[in-house]
Amino acid sequence: MVSAFLVPLLLQAVLLLNVQAAPLDIEALRIPKVDPKKILCQLPLLERYLCPDGGLNSLSRITVLGTASGVLDPEGAHRYPVRYAKSNRWALSNLATSWELPNGSNNVSALPLACPQPDVSSSAYSEDCLSMVLYVPPSLTLASQAPVLVWIHGGSFVVGSATATGLDGSKLALATNSIVAVVQYRLGALGFLAPNGNTNLGVKDVINALEFIKKVAPSFGGSSSKVTIAGQSSGATMIRALLAAPSASSLFRSSILQSDPINYGHLRPATNTLLLNKFKEKVGCSSAACQAGLALGDILSAQNYVFNNAALGDNFAPAAGSAQPIRPVIDGSFITTPLDTTASFPSTSKPILVTTVQHEAASMIYGSFPALPEEAFAPICAMTFGDARTETVVGSPYYQPSPSSVVNGQIDARAQLQVVGTDYLWKCSGWTFSRAWVQAGGNAFVGQYVVGASYPGNDRVSICTQPNVICHQDDIQIVFGTVENPSSAQSALISEMQQRYKAFLTNGNPNAGGLATWAPATTSDVHSLRLGGTGEVSAGACDPGFWGSSVEYDYQFYN
């Protein structure tokens, strides 16, 4: 029953909905025509009575930055592409002050162009790329206070976009009853190798994306205080950079790091300088005017040289590593802590999820080498670890040939190299990070995917198409629920992970009714849950006495 004090308001509302506009030159006054019902349906006191559907079925929203227009995504959520910031080349980006579609488009159904990157048609990217796509469940009302999940794509900081395969956030938004925002940011040299010395531009772009979400989330039924940031591979590295940036702390309350190559750590300033100097040498351009006029093709060519030769080839910056040498730098002012074991972690209370997949390094190892004799194991390890670390690795019980490494009666050393690569780049360094996070006061939940869905591109590496082999990126479509024709095991894990994500977004704990208990990590036992299986993952070489102690991670070895 409507309470007495609402009757006058409701009567006025009904009158307003039915009144005919008086003659007025609207265009001359430059006042946009607004449907009164759309405004009234966004008033918490009236939406229940005038708009039983929540007033949100029209796909238009009145936000503090103007009217947002969206479309119905084929998977059921309402989809809103938007430009969240603008920037000049190698300058700090500026937060958007009005709601604008990406790339100056007037087509609300058009998705944003990617940021400039190699091996992509120039028609598919633009420097005007600081955009995101919001996926909003139709059931949300302005009173919902729903959580917000901000997804940061991977791609070694040189490729990727908000529209990459599998990143349609519609099913994930519906399953978790949350707003899903998929964000893109400046990549490669444009985001991380500014000749003028501006560091971490790509990371600061994401800060602006989070500021933008804080402003607009309430207009879509979301809560600006219930933001979780999530990402895979370099997207997870980006999250670790945000965790190390005090200025970002108030913009999110929890984090999900999938397959973060934590072994590398953040770049130190000296290593970043080596990369930057080589980039400037390759573009052959020292003045600001010249740099502003550089063709994107020349920038990408110089960037490719730096990426491919930092720790291989010319090997001018071995501490950068080979997988994602261009990455955030601990500059001391914005990113103030390494968040690795070379220094104490700052005190924290944020909960995190840290996950890897069972065969992280398989696509890299099997895609780089043909079958290898056992005699090749030590020399190839030495290319990465040097002699001292290699001696310890080769002599340990953890990386001896196993029955699965025998092919046609011969040992294939790639099987051992795959386990080493998975352990040191992702799994064990992630466990070390999680133990330190708990030591600093935060909760950490650690897991490993033992069921996955082959991500496009992995099918070029035959081992990644084999049953029970879960390669890097094979967790992405499980989380988003975008697997085509999923098997029963995949469907079960999709349902499980989306239930766990819903719980984590809501209360910082991934445990939900009917699911196996996911125990939080401690400083001595991370309790890594087998995602898609049963029980916990055995420690193996992730024992604290081996990786990070007997064998140093790269961030320890080089720094």
Side-chain angles (χ1 to χ4, degrees):
M1 188 171 181
V2 180
S3 60
F5 85 92
L6 279 178
V7 171
L9 279 175
L10 291 172
L11 289 174
Q12 291 180 43
V14 171
L15 289 172
L16 181 56
L17 288 172
N18 288 281
V19 72
Q20 298 296 314
L24 183 63
D25 188 355
I26 298 289
E27 294 303 321
L29 294 176
R30 296 184 181 180
I31 299 174
K33 296 180 181 179
V34 176
D35 181 352
K37 185 174 181 179
K38 290 180 181 178
I39 298 176
L40 292 170
C41 285
Q42 297 197 51
L43 298 176
L45 289 175
L46 297 180
E47 62 174 340
R48 176 179 172 186
Y49 303 104
L50 295 178
C51 319
D53 63 358
L56 297 183
N57 287 337
S58 68
L59 302 194
S60 290
R61 308 287 186 275
I62 305 301
T63 78
V64 294
L65 300 178
T67 301
S69 296
V71 296
L72 181 65
D73 187 84
E75 301 298 342
H78 294 172
R79 188 180 75 208
Y80 298 86
V82 63
R83 173 195 277 142
Y84 67 82
K86 297 180 182 179
S87 71
N88 294 321
R89 180 178 289 179
W90 287 313
L92 287 169
S93 57
N94 295 308
L95 188 65
T97 57
S98 62
W99 188 278
E100 298 179 48
L101 294 175
N103 313 116
S105 172
N106 60 6
N107 180 2
V108 72
S109 66
L111 294 170
L113 296 174
C115 291
Q117 53 194 276
D119 302 322
V120 172
S121 169
S122 60
S123 64
Y125 63 64
S126 169
E127 282 194 73
D128 176 20
C129 64
L130 300 184
S131 302
M132 68 174 70
V133 184
L134 298 174
Y135 298 88
V136 182
S139 61
L140 296 188
T141 71
L142 292 175
S144 293
Q145 290 288 297
V148 181
L149 175 66
V150 181
W151 180 268
I152 304 170
H153 70 78
S156 296
F157 292 110
V158 292
V159 298
S161 72
T163 57
T165 301
L167 299 189
D168 183 310
S170 188
K171 289 183 177 179
L172 181 59
L174 295 173
T176 57
N177 198 39
S178 67
I179 295 172
V180 174
V182 186
V183 173
Q184 53 192 38
Y185 46 92
R186 282 176 286 181
L187 300 169
L190 292 169
F192 296 91
L193 291 176
N196 58 19
N198 281 338
T199 57
N200 296 311
L201 290 175
V203 187
K204 293 170 184 176
D205 291 341
V206 177
I207 291 277
N208 271 335
L210 293 172
E211 293 280 11
F212 183 88
I213 288 166
K214 184 176 181 179
K215 285 178 177 289
V216 304
S219 300
F220 296 89
S223 170
S224 58
S225 63
K226 299 177 183 176
V227 175
T228 297
I229 52 176
Q232 187 269 346
S233 195
S234 61
T237 303
M238 176 74 81
I239 289 170
R240 187 159 36 88
L242 294 170
L243 289 170
S247 60
S249 184
S250 65
L251 298 174
F252 61 96
R253 68 174 186 175
S254 55
S255 304
I256 302 172
L257 297 86
Q258 296 178 208
S259 298
D260 181 5
I262 294 174
N263 159 82
Y264 290 134
H266 299 313
L267 282 178
R268 265 49 176 192
T271 304
N272 184 63
T273 297
L274 292 174
L275 300 178
L276 182 56
N277 287 344
K278 185 63 69 172
F279 173 72
K280 290 192 288 187
E281 173 191 319
K282 290 299 177 181
V283 295
C285 196
S286 58
S287 71
C290 176
Q291 291 160 2
L294 280 169
L296 283 175
D298 293 335
I299 292 173
L300 293 175
S301 177
Q303 169 191 304
N304 286 349
Y305 181 88
V306 171
F307 188 94
N308 293 327
N309 287 275
L312 296 172
D314 281 1
N315 199 35
F316 60 85
S322 59
Q324 54 179 45
I326 299 172
R327 61 182 186 273
V329 57
I330 177 169
D331 55 11
S333 55
F334 173 62
I335 297 177
T336 59
T337 178
L339 278 189
D340 60 37
T341 59
T342 62
S344 297
F345 278 34
S347 178
T348 184
S349 60
K350 293 183 187 294
I352 60 173
L353 286 182
V354 179
T355 62
T356 57
V357 302
Q358 193 168 13
H359 307 99
E360 292 276 10
S363 56
M364 177 175 63
I365 296 298
Y366 284 81
S368 301
F369 301 103
L372 294 168
E374 173 63 10
E375 293 76 19
F377 178 55
I380 292 177
C381 281
M383 292 170 60
T384 295
F385 301 125
D387 293 339
R389 287 194 292 173
T390 294
E391 183 177 353
T392 306
V393 168
V394 172
S396 76
Y398 301 116
Y399 304 114
Q400 300 306 308
S402 66
S404 64
S405 66
V406 178
V407 179
N408 297 326
Q410 301 291 321
I411 292 174
D412 186 346
R414 292 181 299 178
Q416 295 155 269
L417 291 168
Q418 188 283 132
V419 179
V420 173
T422 293
D423 281 357
Y424 106 103
L425 265 179
W426 290 281
K427 177 186 171 185
C428 297
S429 52
W431 287 27
T432 299
F433 172 79
S434 299
R435 287 190 291 260
W437 189 262
V438 173
Q439 181 69 46
N443 278 340
F445 296 88
V446 180
Q448 182 185 83
Y449 286 82
V450 297
V451 169
S454 187
Y455 194 77
N458 280 346
D459 55 3
R460 293 193 295 266
V461 182
S462 61
I463 193 172
C464 292
T465 65
Q466 295 180 11
N468 303 316
V469 175
I470 319 302
C471 292
H472 190 65
Q473 298 183 292
D474 286 354
D475 52 339
I476 294 174
Q477 292 174 291
I478 294 292
V479 167
F480 277 79
T482 49
V483 181
E484 291 188 17
N485 302 313
S487 67
S488 58
Q490 290 170 334
S491 293
L493 184 56
I494 289 168
S495 175
E496 175 184 340
M497 294 313 300
Q498 292 184 341
Q499 289 180 67
R500 291 193 183 281
Y501 272 44
K502 181 177 182 178
F504 188 75
L505 298 180
T506 302
N507 57 34
N509 188 315
N511 286 292
L515 300 179
T517 300
W518 193 341
T522 70
T523 56
S524 59
D525 188 343
V526 301
H527 295 293
S528 181
L529 190 66
R530 298 179 77 246
L531 302 171
T534 58
E536 295 182 352
V537 179
S538 61
C542 297
D543 181 282
F546 193 74
W547 282 108
S549 181
S550 295
V551 184
E552 293 182 319
Y553 298 119
D554 282 4
Y555 63 72
Q556 298 168 308
F557 182 79
Y558 288 108
N559 295 306

